[in-house]
């Protein structure tokens, strides 16, 4: 018995050593397409880190992330869990009709961060209403997939209700109607293809229904669905949610709704670093797995779009990535659209406003992404920063 136990221990130790050696001689990877995340690199040794225990944790993560054939092992483990009938794998529900829906829990939410974000955004909206009038300011809150299409969730799925975030925001703004909750709009169309099966974003059709509802709320009439020329650009999209579980589900399609508004657009990204005459960037979408990058070439801090709408209006749009496929619909309504994504920059919004003759302001956030946003502080600085010291006057100094 003791010999058998010693043999098992010896085999285990040999496997550990072999694994460590294979990792050390194997070429390190920076990124996992399968899991859509950066992989742990070999940590630098220091006695200080060892005493704190951080070196050991980092090295353990390094061995796990850089293990040869890791993606295949992860793929195999997930497939086995799916065969065993599990409905929740790696924080993702295996929903009906091939839908993958990220599971949200109260434990993931930092309430202090959420409250701070609500205070910042409500203050911003109140300031914008004072400057432009309530008919020129709106805030669109986009529900996450599990809230928007609950019929696709598996039986007995438990999700966190985030409605309190939108309700609290409405309570804190001077005019509650500025905040447009899109949950009911999305639920009304949940039997249609309004969210990708394998990604957390809404589809272009989902964005269209949001645009249509917003136009109606603003007292205007949107173009009917039939007015757009619809083009399916990709049929092979497997998005960020899929990369967490890698189960066999149908690929998503990425669709573009063409309109006259896009014919004369000029796109200027990050103050001239990249310019284009289109809203769609297939070369970016085809660099990796993320076909959603077709819209506006992915995410960046500032994008300026000029159109041929001739409406005399300029829109300042504070957004996250959900706005990327929503923006093309707006090209019929504004001569200029200034997009700002505070995850990628920190210029105060007051400074940005001073550069453009803004007539309208819109905020478009996914509720989940808004709750986890950590870089909204500059949204509170709604006025251009003034000099704190008076200009030196020699006559005053000499009396």
């Amino acid at each position: 018995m003791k010999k058998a136990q010693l043999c098992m221990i010896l085999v285990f130790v040999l496997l550990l050593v072999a694994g460590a050696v294979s990792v050390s001689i194997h070429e390190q990877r920076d990124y996992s397409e399968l899991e859509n995340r950066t992989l742990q690199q070999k940590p630098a040794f220091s006695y200080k880190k060892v005493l704190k225990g951080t070196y050991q944790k980092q090295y353990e993560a390094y061995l796990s992330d850089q293990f040869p054939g890791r993606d295949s092992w992860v793929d195999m483990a997930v497939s086995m869990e799916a065969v065993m009938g599990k409905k929740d794998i790696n924080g993702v529900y295996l929903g009906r009709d091939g839908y993958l829906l990220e599971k949200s829990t109260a434990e993931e939410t930092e309430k202090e961060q959420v409250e701070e974000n609500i205070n910042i955004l409500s203050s911003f909206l109140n300031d914008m209403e004072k400057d432009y009038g309530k008919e020129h300011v709106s805030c669109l809150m986009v529900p996450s997939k599990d809230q928007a299409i609950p019929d696709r969730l598996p039986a007995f799925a438990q999700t966190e209700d985030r409605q309190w975030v939108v309700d609290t925001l409405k309570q804190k703004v001077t005019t509650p109607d500025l905040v447009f909750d899109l949950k009911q709009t999305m639920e009304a169309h949940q039997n249609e293809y309004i969210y990708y099966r394998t990604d957390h974003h809404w589809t272009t059709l989902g964005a269209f229904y949001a645009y249509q509802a917003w136009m109606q709320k603003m007292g205007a009439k949107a173009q009917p669905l039939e007015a757009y020329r619809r083009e399916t650009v990709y049929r092979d999209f497997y998005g960020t949610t899929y990369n967490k579980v890698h189960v066999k589900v149908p690929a998503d399609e990425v669709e573009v709704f063409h309109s006259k508004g896009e014919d004369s657009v000029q796109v200027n990204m990050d103050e001239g670093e990249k310019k284009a005459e289109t809203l769609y960037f297939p070369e970016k979408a085809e660099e990796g797995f993320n076909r959603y990058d077709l819209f506006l070439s992915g995410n960046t801090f500032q994008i300026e779009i000029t159109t041929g709408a001739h409406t005399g209006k300029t829109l300042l749009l504070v957004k996250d990535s959900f706005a990327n496929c929503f923006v093309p619909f707006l090209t019929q309504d504004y001569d200029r659209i200034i997009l700002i994504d505070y995850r990628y920059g920190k210029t105060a919004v007051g400074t940005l406003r001073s550069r453009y003759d803004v007539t309208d302001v819109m905020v478009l956030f996914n509720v989940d992404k808004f709750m986890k946003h950590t870089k909204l502080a500059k949204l509170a600085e709604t006025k251009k920063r003034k000099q704190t010291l008076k200009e030196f006057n020699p006559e005053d100094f000499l009396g």
Side-chain angles (χ1 to χ4, degrees):
M1 182 64 72
K2 287 183 178 180
K3 287 183 178 180
Q5 290 176 338
L6 286 172
C7 286
M8 290 177 64
I9 292 171
L10 182 60
V11 169
F12 180 71
V13 170
L14 287 173
L15 286 173
L16 284 178
V17 172
V21 171
S22 62
V23 168
S24 64
I25 62 175
H26 193 266
E27 183 179 356
Q28 292 190 34
R29 296 187 305 153
D30 295 326
Y31 186 81
S32 170
E33 290 281 356
L34 174 64
E35 298 173 83
N36 187 33
R37 70 177 181 88
T38 303
L39 299 176
Q40 174 69 50
Q41 303 301 297
K42 187 175 182 179
F45 178 84
S46 76
Y47 290 108
K48 189 175 181 180
K49 284 185 177 180
V50 170
L51 293 174
K52 285 185 176 180
T54 56
Y55 177 81
Q56 294 90 317
K57 290 180 181 179
Q58 290 176 354
Y59 200 86
E60 182 181 356
Y62 158 70
L63 291 177
S64 175
D65 281 2
Q66 300 296 338
F67 196 86
R70 172 184 167 77
D71 284 356
S72 298
W73 288 106
V74 171
D75 194 1
M76 185 188 306
V78 169
S79 298
M80 289 178 63
E81 288 184 281
V83 169
M84 292 168 62
K86 287 195 67 175
K87 299 296 183 184
D88 169 16
I89 301 175
N90 288 347
V92 174
Y93 283 122
L94 308 185
R96 297 184 176 96
D97 304 323
Y99 274 81
L100 306 176
L101 304 100
E102 294 185 30
K103 182 180 180 181
S104 60
T105 61
E107 290 74 21
E108 296 176 349
T109 304
E110 294 184 16
K111 195 168 183 180
E112 289 183 359
Q113 183 67 64
V114 179
E115 291 174 349
E116 178 184 326
N117 290 350
I118 290 173
N119 289 334
I120 291 173
L121 181 53
S122 60
S123 176
F124 171 75
L125 292 171
N126 288 336
D127 285 349
M128 295 304 98
E129 182 185 0
K130 289 177 184 176
D131 289 349
Y132 301 108
K134 64 181 181 180
E135 65 275 11
H136 296 286
V137 180
S138 55
C139 174
L140 281 63
M141 300 301 288
V142 185
S144 292
K145 193 158 60 172
D146 63 316
Q147 305 287 301
I149 52 173
D151 285 354
R152 305 299 174 95
L153 285 166
F156 310 112
Q158 295 181 341
T159 60
E160 180 194 6
D161 184 10
R162 282 89 90 199
Q163 188 61 39
W164 69 270
V165 177
V166 181
D167 292 343
T168 305
L169 184 59
K170 284 187 173 185
Q171 292 169 10
K172 285 185 170 290
V173 294
T174 306
T175 305
D177 284 348
L178 294 182
V179 180
F180 189 18
D181 184 2
L182 287 167
K183 187 172 184 293
Q184 288 186 345
T185 300
M186 295 295 103
E187 281 187 331
H189 296 280
Q190 67 174 305
N191 292 324
E192 301 176 57
Y193 188 45
I194 60 172
Y195 280 73
Y196 295 112
R197 284 183 293 269
T198 69
D199 195 69
H200 62 286
H201 289 105
W202 56 10
T203 63
T204 314
L205 180 61
F208 166 77
Y209 285 132
Y211 171 71
Q212 188 178 53
W214 172 75
M215 287 286 282
Q216 183 177 354
K217 182 176 183 293
M218 300 299 288
K221 187 177 181 180
Q223 291 288 328
L225 193 59
E226 298 76 25
Y228 296 90
R229 180 173 64 84
R230 299 170 65 173
E231 176 192 6
T232 301
V233 181
Y234 298 110
R235 302 179 188 274
D236 62 347
F237 179 33
Y238 284 96
T240 55
T241 314
Y242 171 82
N243 284 332
K244 294 183 178 181
V245 291
H246 218 242
V247 296
K248 189 173 180 60
V249 294
D252 277 304
E253 298 181 356
V254 179
E255 192 177 20
V256 166
F257 286 26
H258 294 289
S259 70
K260 292 180 180 179
E262 70 182 60
D263 291 344
S264 55
V265 297
Q266 298 287 329
V267 180
N268 185 329
M269 298 184 180
D270 290 332
E271 300 183 339
E273 288 189 11
K274 183 175 182 179
K275 294 183 179 181
E277 297 180 354
T278 178
L279 301 169
Y280 308 110
F281 297 81
E283 69 282 359
K284 176 66 175 179
E286 293 163 17
E287 284 180 3
F289 75 92
N290 196 355
R291 299 292 188 251
Y292 190 75
D293 281 348
L294 173 70
F295 304 103
L296 298 177
S297 191
N299 298 307
T300 189
F301 173 55
Q302 182 178 346
I303 301 176
E304 178 183 348
I305 300 171
T306 56
T307 75
H310 302 297
T311 61
K313 297 191 295 184
T314 295
L315 176 70
L316 174 65
L317 174 53
V318 180
K319 42 79 80 176
D320 62 20
S321 57
F322 273 72
N324 292 6
C325 68
F326 181 88
V327 166
F329 298 111
L330 298 174
T331 56
Q332 303 168 86
D333 307 302
Y334 298 96
D335 293 352
R336 182 178 291 176
I337 306 169
I338 313 301
L339 284 67
I340 302 297
D341 190 333
Y342 271 110
R343 295 173 299 172
Y344 303 97
K346 57 183 181 180
T347 304
V349 72
T351 301
L352 294 166
R353 287 175 63 204
S354 70
R355 298 175 184 171
Y356 304 98
D357 186 17
V358 174
T359 61
D360 297 79
V361 175
M362 176 188 288
V363 175
L364 192 154
F365 282 139
N366 166 253
V367 176
D368 267 21
K369 301 301 179 186
F370 170 70
M371 292 171 68
K372 297 172 183 177
H373 210 308
T374 60
K375 299 180 179 179
L376 283 177
K378 292 297 181 180
L379 192 60
E381 297 180 26
T382 58
K383 303 294 183 184
K384 185 178 180 181
R385 188 172 296 176
K386 297 179 180 179
Q387 286 183 306
T388 56
L389 295 175
K390 291 183 179 180
E391 186 177 351
F392 176 70
N393 188 332
E395 292 183 3
D396 291 343
F397 178 74
L398 296 172

